[in-house]
PDB file of all heavy atoms in Angstrom:
ATOM      1  N   ALA F1471      81.456  97.229  91.887  1.00 98.00           N
ATOM      2  CA  ALA F1471      82.602  96.432  92.305  1.00 98.00           C
ATOM      3  C   ALA F1471      83.498  97.292  93.166  1.00 98.00           C
ATOM      4  O   ALA F1471      83.941  98.371  92.767  1.00 98.00           O
ATOM      5  CB  ALA F1471      83.392  95.923  91.108  1.00 98.00           C
ATOM      6  N   VAL F1472      83.746  96.843  94.416  1.00 98.00           N
ATOM      7  CA  VAL F1472      84.494  97.637  95.379  1.00 98.00           C
ATOM      8  C   VAL F1472      85.644  96.788  95.948  1.00 98.00           C
ATOM      9  O   VAL F1472      85.412  95.673  96.390  1.00 98.00           O
ATOM     10  CB  VAL F1472      83.592  98.160  96.523  1.00 98.00           C
ATOM     11  CG1 VAL F1472      84.399  99.038  97.460  1.00 98.00           C
ATOM     12  CG2 VAL F1472      82.350  98.864  95.989  1.00 98.00           C
ATOM     13  N   LYS F1473      86.803  97.381  95.973  1.00 97.00           N
ATOM     14  CA  LYS F1473      87.937  96.827  96.743  1.00 97.00           C
ATOM     15  C   LYS F1473      88.324  97.894  97.775  1.00 97.00           C
ATOM     16  O   LYS F1473      88.793  98.975  97.431  1.00 97.00           O
ATOM     17  CB  LYS F1473      89.124  96.546  95.847  1.00 97.00           C
ATOM     18  CG  LYS F1473      88.850  95.439  94.830  1.00 97.00           C
ATOM     19  CD  LYS F1473      90.067  95.148  93.944  1.00 97.00           C
ATOM     20  CE  LYS F1473      89.774  94.058  92.925  1.00 97.00           C
ATOM     21  NZ  LYS F1473      90.963  93.827  92.047  1.00 97.00           N
ATOM     22  N   GLY F1474      88.015  97.601  99.015  1.00 95.00           N
ATOM     23  CA  GLY F1474      88.222  98.599 100.079  1.00 95.00           C
ATOM     24  C   GLY F1474      89.136  98.113 101.157  1.00 95.00           C
ATOM     25  O   GLY F1474      89.526  96.927 101.227  1.00 95.00           O
ATOM     26  N   ASP F1475      89.515  99.029 102.028  1.00 96.00           N
ATOM     27  CA  ASP F1475      90.463  98.723 103.157  1.00 96.00           C
ATOM     28  C   ASP F1475      89.687  98.114 104.333  1.00 96.00           C
ATOM     29  O   ASP F1475      89.694  98.624 105.429  1.00 96.00           O
ATOM     30  CB  ASP F1475      91.209  99.976 103.575  1.00 96.00           C
ATOM     31  CG  ASP F1475      90.298 101.150 103.937  1.00 96.00           C
ATOM     32  OD1 ASP F1475      89.053 101.001 103.849  1.00 96.00           O
ATOM     33  OD2 ASP F1475      90.837 102.206 104.330  1.00 96.00           O
ATOM     34  N   LEU F1476      89.071  96.955 104.067  1.00 94.00           N
ATOM     35  CA  LEU F1476      88.258  96.300 105.108  1.00 94.00           C
ATOM     36  C   LEU F1476      89.147  95.742 106.220  1.00 94.00           C
ATOM     37  O   LEU F1476      88.631  95.395 107.273  1.00 94.00           O
ATOM     38  CB  LEU F1476      87.446  95.153 104.453  1.00 94.00           C
ATOM     39  CG  LEU F1476      86.371  95.609 103.485  1.00 94.00           C
ATOM     40  CD1 LEU F1476      85.685  94.406 102.855  1.00 94.00           C
ATOM     41  CD2 LEU F1476      85.332  96.470 104.198  1.00 94.00           C
ATOM     42  N   HIS F1477      90.474  95.677 106.010  1.00 93.00           N
ATOM     43  CA  HIS F1477      91.338  95.270 107.113  1.00 93.00           C
ATOM     44  C   HIS F1477      91.376  96.327 108.211  1.00 93.00           C
ATOM     45  O   HIS F1477      91.795  96.065 109.336  1.00 93.00           O
ATOM     46  CB  HIS F1477      92.730  94.994 106.572  1.00 93.00           C
ATOM     47  CG  HIS F1477      93.404  96.198 105.962  1.00 93.00           C
ATOM     48  ND1 HIS F1477      93.018  96.687 104.737  1.00 93.00           N
ATOM     49  CD2 HIS F1477      94.407  97.011 106.432  1.00 93.00           C
ATOM     50  CE1 HIS F1477      93.779  97.744 104.466  1.00 93.00           C
ATOM     51  NE2 HIS F1477      94.626  97.964 105.449  1.00 93.00           N
ATOM     52  N   ILE F1478      90.987  97.581 107.851  1.00 92.00           N
ATOM     53  CA  ILE F1478      90.890  98.671 108.848  1.00 92.00           C
ATOM     54  C   ILE F1478      89.512  98.648 109.448  1.00 92.00           C
ATOM     55  O   ILE F1478      89.307  98.413 110.659  1.00 92.00           O
ATOM     56  CB  ILE F1478      91.213 100.001 108.206  1.00 92.00           C
ATOM     57  CG1 ILE F1478      92.646 100.007 107.694  1.00 92.00           C
ATOM     58  CG2 ILE F1478      90.977 101.150 109.184  1.00 92.00           C
ATOM     59  CD1 ILE F1478      93.037 101.271 106.926  1.00 92.00           C
ATOM     60  N   ASP F1479      88.477  98.939 108.633  1.00 93.00           N
ATOM     61  CA  ASP F1479      87.078  98.818 109.078  1.00 93.00           C
ATOM     62  C   ASP F1479      86.239  98.949 107.807  1.00 93.00           C
ATOM     63  O   ASP F1479      86.733  99.001 106.667  1.00 93.00           O
ATOM     64  CB  ASP F1479      86.696  99.817 110.140  1.00 93.00           C
ATOM     65  CG  ASP F1479      86.756 101.258 109.711  1.00 93.00           C
ATOM     66  OD1 ASP F1479      86.899 101.528 108.482  1.00 93.00           O
ATOM     67  OD2 ASP F1479      86.656 102.160 110.528  1.00 93.00           O
ATOM     68  N   GLN F1480      84.937  99.060 107.984  1.00 96.00           N
ATOM     69  CA  GLN F1480      84.001  99.097 106.835  1.00 96.00           C
ATOM     70  C   GLN F1480      83.614 100.520 106.424  1.00 96.00           C
ATOM     71  O   GLN F1480      82.936 100.690 105.420  1.00 96.00           O
ATOM     72  CB  GLN F1480      82.712  98.339 107.238  1.00 96.00           C
ATOM     73  CG  GLN F1480      82.935  96.893 107.649  1.00 96.00           C
ATOM     74  CD  GLN F1480      81.717  96.310 108.308  1.00 96.00           C
ATOM     75  OE1 GLN F1480      80.853  97.042 108.815  1.00 96.00           O
ATOM     76  NE2 GLN F1480      81.606  95.007 108.266  1.00 96.00           N
ATOM     77  N   HIS F1481      84.065 101.486 107.155  1.00 96.00           N
ATOM     78  CA  HIS F1481      83.620 102.862 106.958  1.00 96.00           C
ATOM     79  C   HIS F1481      83.847 103.343 105.525  1.00 96.00           C
ATOM     80  O   HIS F1481      82.949 103.850 104.844  1.00 96.00           O
ATOM     81  CB  HIS F1481      84.283 103.809 107.941  1.00 96.00           C
ATOM     82  CG  HIS F1481      83.821 105.208 107.886  1.00 96.00           C
ATOM     83  ND1 HIS F1481      82.881 105.704 108.735  1.00 96.00           N
ATOM     84  CD2 HIS F1481      84.146 106.240 107.059  1.00 96.00           C
ATOM     85  CE1 HIS F1481      82.649 106.978 108.424  1.00 96.00           C
ATOM     86  NE2 HIS F1481      83.424 107.321 107.426  1.00 96.00           N
ATOM     87  N   HIS F1482      85.094 103.230 105.022  1.00 96.00           N
ATOM     88  CA  HIS F1482      85.397 103.776 103.721  1.00 96.00           C
ATOM     89  C   HIS F1482      84.679 103.040 102.616  1.00 96.00           C
ATOM     90  O   HIS F1482      84.239 103.675 101.627  1.00 96.00           O
ATOM     91  CB  HIS F1482      86.931 103.732 103.488  1.00 96.00           C
ATOM     92  CG  HIS F1482      87.702 104.532 104.481  1.00 96.00           C
ATOM     93  ND1 HIS F1482      88.859 104.084 105.080  1.00 96.00           N
ATOM     94  CD2 HIS F1482      87.475 105.760 105.007  1.00 96.00           C
ATOM     95  CE1 HIS F1482      89.299 104.987 105.892  1.00 96.00           C
ATOM     96  NE2 HIS F1482      88.513 106.025 105.875  1.00 96.00           N
ATOM     97  N   THR F1483      84.550 101.752 102.740  1.00 97.00           N
ATOM     98  CA  THR F1483      83.840 100.971 101.720  1.00 97.00           C
ATOM     99  C   THR F1483      82.390 101.363 101.640  1.00 97.00           C
ATOM    100  O   THR F1483      81.843 101.577 100.532  1.00 97.00           O
ATOM    101  CB  THR F1483      83.982  99.468 102.018  1.00 97.00           C
ATOM    102  OG1 THR F1483      85.339  99.060 101.850  1.00 97.00           O
ATOM    103  CG2 THR F1483      83.135  98.619 101.047  1.00 97.00           C
ATOM    104  N   ALA F1484      81.728 101.522 102.797  1.00 97.00           N
ATOM    105  CA  ALA F1484      80.323 101.920 102.812  1.00 97.00           C
ATOM    106  C   ALA F1484      80.167 103.329 102.264  1.00 97.00           C
ATOM    107  O   ALA F1484      79.319 103.586 101.381  1.00 97.00           O
ATOM    108  CB  ALA F1484      79.771 101.814 104.227  1.00 97.00           C
ATOM    109  N   GLU F1485      80.971 104.255 102.735  1.00 97.00           N
ATOM    110  CA  GLU F1485      80.869 105.633 102.334  1.00 97.00           C
ATOM    111  C   GLU F1485      81.130 105.820 100.840  1.00 97.00           C
ATOM    112  O   GLU F1485      80.343 106.422 100.121  1.00 97.00           O
ATOM    113  CB  GLU F1485      81.840 106.492 103.122  1.00 97.00           C
ATOM    114  CG  GLU F1485      81.886 107.945 102.723  1.00 97.00           C
ATOM    115  CD  GLU F1485      82.902 108.727 103.547  1.00 97.00           C
ATOM    116  OE1 GLU F1485      84.094 108.327 103.553  1.00 97.00           O
ATOM    117  OE2 GLU F1485      82.527 109.715 104.155  1.00 97.00           O
ATOM    118  N   ASP F1486      82.232 105.234 100.350  1.00 97.00           N
ATOM    119  CA  ASP F1486      82.626 105.463  98.986  1.00 97.00           C
ATOM    120  C   ASP F1486      81.749 104.740  97.981  1.00 97.00           C
ATOM    121  O   ASP F1486      81.581 105.218  96.846  1.00 97.00           O
ATOM    122  CB  ASP F1486      84.092 105.052  98.791  1.00 97.00           C
ATOM    123  CG  ASP F1486      85.062 105.999  99.497  1.00 97.00           C
ATOM    124  OD1 ASP F1486      84.603 106.957 100.135  1.00 97.00           O
ATOM    125  OD2 ASP F1486      86.297 105.764  99.386  1.00 97.00           O
ATOM    126  N   SER F1487      81.172 103.612  98.393  1.00 98.00           N
ATOM    127  CA  SER F1487      80.197 102.958  97.491  1.00 98.00           C
ATOM    128  C   SER F1487      78.967 103.831  97.316  1.00 98.00           C
ATOM    129  O   SER F1487      78.468 103.961  96.181  1.00 98.00           O
ATOM    130  CB  SER F1487      79.784 101.586  98.048  1.00 98.00           C
ATOM    131  OG  SER F1487      79.025 101.695  99.224  1.00 98.00           O
ATOM    132  N   ALA F1488      78.538 104.482  98.394  1.00 98.00           N
ATOM    133  CA  ALA F1488      77.373 105.365  98.256  1.00 98.00           C
ATOM    134  C   ALA F1488      77.703 106.584  97.432  1.00 98.00           C
ATOM    135  O   ALA F1488      76.877 107.011  96.608  1.00 98.00           O
ATOM    136  CB  ALA F1488      76.923 105.801  99.659  1.00 98.00           C
ATOM    137  N   ILE F1489      78.903 107.130  97.598  1.00 98.00           N
ATOM    138  CA  ILE F1489      79.299 108.285  96.792  1.00 98.00           C
ATOM    139  C   ILE F1489      79.359 107.955  95.324  1.00 98.00           C
ATOM    140  O   ILE F1489      78.842 108.684  94.475  1.00 98.00           O
ATOM    141  CB  ILE F1489      80.661 108.797  97.257  1.00 98.00           C
ATOM    142  CG1 ILE F1489      80.568 109.417  98.676  1.00 98.00           C
ATOM    143  CG2 ILE F1489      81.254 109.838  96.272  1.00 98.00           C
ATOM    144  CD1 ILE F1489      81.889 109.756  99.297  1.00 98.00           C
ATOM    145  N   ALA F1490      79.929 106.793  94.995  1.00 98.00           N
ATOM    146  CA  ALA F1490      80.081 106.422  93.575  1.00 98.00           C
ATOM    147  C   ALA F1490      78.738 106.136  92.906  1.00 98.00           C
ATOM    148  O   ALA F1490      78.480 106.524  91.788  1.00 98.00           O
ATOM    149  CB  ALA F1490      80.972 105.188  93.455  1.00 98.00           C
ATOM    150  N   ILE F1491      77.803 105.487  93.657  1.00 98.00           N
ATOM    151  CA  ILE F1491      76.460 105.250  93.106  1.00 98.00           C
ATOM    152  C   ILE F1491      75.724 106.567  92.944  1.00 98.00           C
ATOM    153  O   ILE F1491      75.069 106.807  91.938  1.00 98.00           O
ATOM    154  CB  ILE F1491      75.670 104.278  94.032  1.00 98.00           C
ATOM    155  CG1 ILE F1491      76.339 102.894  94.010  1.00 98.00           C
ATOM    156  CG2 ILE F1491      74.229 104.179  93.576  1.00 98.00           C
ATOM    157  CD1 ILE F1491      75.767 101.946  95.060  1.00 98.00           C
ATOM    158  N   GLY F1492      75.867 107.464  93.911  1.00 98.00           N
ATOM    159  CA  GLY F1492      75.204 108.791  93.808  1.00 98.00           C
ATOM    160  C   GLY F1492      75.774 109.583  92.628  1.00 98.00           C
ATOM    161  O   GLY F1492      75.019 110.223  91.907  1.00 98.00           O
ATOM    162  N   GLU F1493      77.076 109.527  92.429  1.00 97.00           N
ATOM    163  CA  GLU F1493      77.678 110.247  91.314  1.00 97.00           C
ATOM    164  C   GLU F1493      77.224 109.685  89.983  1.00 97.00           C
ATOM    165  O   GLU F1493      77.000 110.414  89.030  1.00 97.00           O
ATOM    166  CB  GLU F1493      79.223 110.182  91.428  1.00 97.00           C
ATOM    167  CG  GLU F1493      79.808 111.036  92.529  1.00 97.00           C
ATOM    168  CD  GLU F1493      81.329 110.895  92.658  1.00 97.00           C
ATOM    169  OE1 GLU F1493      81.873 109.942  92.025  1.00 97.00           O
ATOM    170  OE2 GLU F1493      81.951 111.686  93.387  1.00 97.00           O
ATOM    171  N   ALA F1494      77.097 108.347  89.911  1.00 98.00           N
ATOM    172  CA  ALA F1494      76.622 107.739  88.701  1.00 98.00           C
ATOM    173  C   ALA F1494      75.166 108.122  88.418  1.00 98.00           C
ATOM    174  O   ALA F1494      74.780 108.379  87.254  1.00 98.00           O
ATOM    175  CB  ALA F1494      76.725 106.203  88.793  1.00 98.00           C
ATOM    176  N   LEU F1495      74.375 108.209  89.466  1.00 97.00           N
ATOM    177  CA  LEU F1495      72.954 108.593  89.319  1.00 97.00           C
ATOM    178  C   LEU F1495      72.842 110.021  88.756  1.00 97.00           C
ATOM    179  O   LEU F1495      72.122 110.254  87.765  1.00 97.00           O
ATOM    180  CB  LEU F1495      72.241 108.507  90.637  1.00 97.00           C
ATOM    181  CG  LEU F1495      70.762 108.926  90.623  1.00 97.00           C
ATOM    182  CD1 LEU F1495      69.921 107.930  89.882  1.00 97.00           C
ATOM    183  CD2 LEU F1495      70.256 109.122  92.044  1.00 97.00           C
ATOM    184  N   THR F1496      73.569 110.933  89.340  1.00 96.00           N
ATOM    185  CA  THR F1496      73.441 112.334  88.911  1.00 96.00           C
ATOM    186  C   THR F1496      73.986 112.506  87.502  1.00 96.00           C
ATOM    187  O   THR F1496      73.473 113.311  86.728  1.00 96.00           O
ATOM    188  CB  THR F1496      74.096 113.287  89.929  1.00 96.00           C
ATOM    189  OG1 THR F1496      73.666 114.627  89.640  1.00 96.00           O
ATOM    190  CG2 THR F1496      75.607 113.218  89.894  1.00 96.00           C
ATOM    191  N   ARG F1497      75.068 111.784  87.184  1.00 96.00           N
ATOM    192  CA  ARG F1497      75.608 111.874  85.798  1.00 96.00           C
ATOM    193  C   ARG F1497      74.618 111.301  84.803  1.00 96.00           C
ATOM    194  O   ARG F1497      74.413 111.882  83.708  1.00 96.00           O
ATOM    195  CB  ARG F1497      76.921 111.131  85.731  1.00 96.00           C
ATOM    196  CG  ARG F1497      77.624 111.264  84.369  1.00 96.00           C
ATOM    197  CD  ARG F1497      78.959 110.633  84.364  1.00 96.00           C
ATOM    198  NE  ARG F1497      79.926 111.302  85.250  1.00 96.00           N
ATOM    199  CZ  ARG F1497      81.185 110.945  85.423  1.00 96.00           C
ATOM    200  NH1 ARG F1497      81.667 109.889  84.738  1.00 96.00           N
ATOM    201  NH2 ARG F1497      81.933 111.611  86.263  1.00 96.00           N
ATOM    202  N   ALA F1498      73.985 110.193  85.094  1.00 97.00           N
ATOM    203  CA  ALA F1498      73.030 109.570  84.197  1.00 97.00           C
ATOM    204  C   ALA F1498      71.802 110.464  83.989  1.00 97.00           C
ATOM    205  O   ALA F1498      71.193 110.475  82.921  1.00 97.00           O
ATOM    206  CB  ALA F1498      72.614 108.188  84.703  1.00 97.00           C
ATOM    207  N   LEU F1499      71.425 111.227  85.010  1.00 94.00           N
ATOM    208  CA  LEU F1499      70.245 112.128  84.910  1.00 94.00           C
ATOM    209  C   LEU F1499      70.511 113.301  84.018  1.00 94.00           C
ATOM    210  O   LEU F1499      69.574 113.925  83.485  1.00 94.00           O
ATOM    211  CB  LEU F1499      69.868 112.617  86.307  1.00 94.00           C
ATOM    212  CG  LEU F1499      69.131 111.629  87.195  1.00 94.00           C
ATOM    213  CD1 LEU F1499      69.073 112.112  88.617  1.00 94.00           C
ATOM    214  CD2 LEU F1499      67.712 111.356  86.662  1.00 94.00           C
ATOM    215  N   GLY F1500      71.769 113.673  83.786  1.00 91.00           N
ATOM    216  CA  GLY F1500      72.083 114.788  82.931  1.00 91.00           C
ATOM    217  C   GLY F1500      71.461 116.085  83.420  1.00 91.00           C
ATOM    218  O   GLY F1500      71.609 116.432  84.608  1.00 91.00           O
ATOM    219  N   ASP F1501      70.750 116.781  82.534  1.00 89.00           N
ATOM    220  CA  ASP F1501      70.157 118.072  82.959  1.00 89.00           C
ATOM    221  C   ASP F1501      68.790 117.898  83.625  1.00 89.00           C
ATOM    222  O   ASP F1501      68.087 118.851  83.886  1.00 89.00           O
ATOM    223  CB  ASP F1501      70.038 119.021  81.776  1.00 89.00           C
ATOM    224  CG  ASP F1501      69.064 118.550  80.702  1.00 89.00           C
ATOM    225  OD1 ASP F1501      68.461 117.468  80.872  1.00 89.00           O
ATOM    226  OD2 ASP F1501      68.937 119.267  79.682  1.00 89.00           O
ATOM    227  N   ARG F1502      68.411 116.624  83.868  1.00 90.00           N
ATOM    228  CA  ARG F1502      67.154 116.254  84.523  1.00 90.00           C
ATOM    229  C   ARG F1502      65.912 116.582  83.694  1.00 90.00           C
ATOM    230  O   ARG F1502      64.804 116.589  84.221  1.00 90.00           O
ATOM    231  CB  ARG F1502      67.049 116.910  85.915  1.00 90.00           C
ATOM    232  CG  ARG F1502      67.906 116.317  86.962  1.00 90.00           C
ATOM    233  CD  ARG F1502      69.010 117.229  87.393  1.00 90.00           C
ATOM    234  NE  ARG F1502      69.643 116.759  88.624  1.00 90.00           N
ATOM    235  CZ  ARG F1502      70.833 116.189  88.654  1.00 90.00           C
ATOM    236  NH1 ARG F1502      71.508 116.003  87.546  1.00 90.00           N
ATOM    237  NH2 ARG F1502      71.346 115.809  89.813  1.00 90.00           N
ATOM    238  N   ARG F1503      66.094 116.839  82.437  1.00 89.00           N
ATOM    239  CA  ARG F1503      64.970 117.205  81.588  1.00 89.00           C
ATOM    240  C   ARG F1503      63.958 116.068  81.559  1.00 89.00           C
ATOM    241  O   ARG F1503      64.269 114.915  81.272  1.00 89.00           O
ATOM    242  CB  ARG F1503      65.444 117.518  80.198  1.00 89.00           C
ATOM    243  CG  ARG F1503      64.409 118.108  79.262  1.00 89.00           C
ATOM    244  CD  ARG F1503      65.039 118.563  77.957  1.00 89.00           C
ATOM    245  NE  ARG F1503      66.118 119.521  78.174  1.00 89.00           N
ATOM    246  CZ  ARG F1503      65.943 120.824  78.356  1.00 89.00           C
ATOM    247  NH1 ARG F1503      64.710 121.313  78.265  1.00 89.00           N
ATOM    248  NH2 ARG F1503      66.952 121.624  78.579  1.00 89.00           N
ATOM    249  N   GLY F1504      62.706 116.423  81.834  1.00 88.00           N
ATOM    250  CA  GLY F1504      61.593 115.486  81.686  1.00 88.00           C
ATOM    251  C   GLY F1504      61.317 114.568  82.894  1.00 88.00           C
ATOM    252  O   GLY F1504      60.323 113.853  82.896  1.00 88.00           O
TER     253      GLY F1504
END
């Protein structure tokens, strides 16, 4: 779920959505064991 400054442009919404998904992925992976 994203609320971004689309009244400016799409850059921040695209960038920050990717960052948040990436951060969630690496956190869920933990120590990457297995």
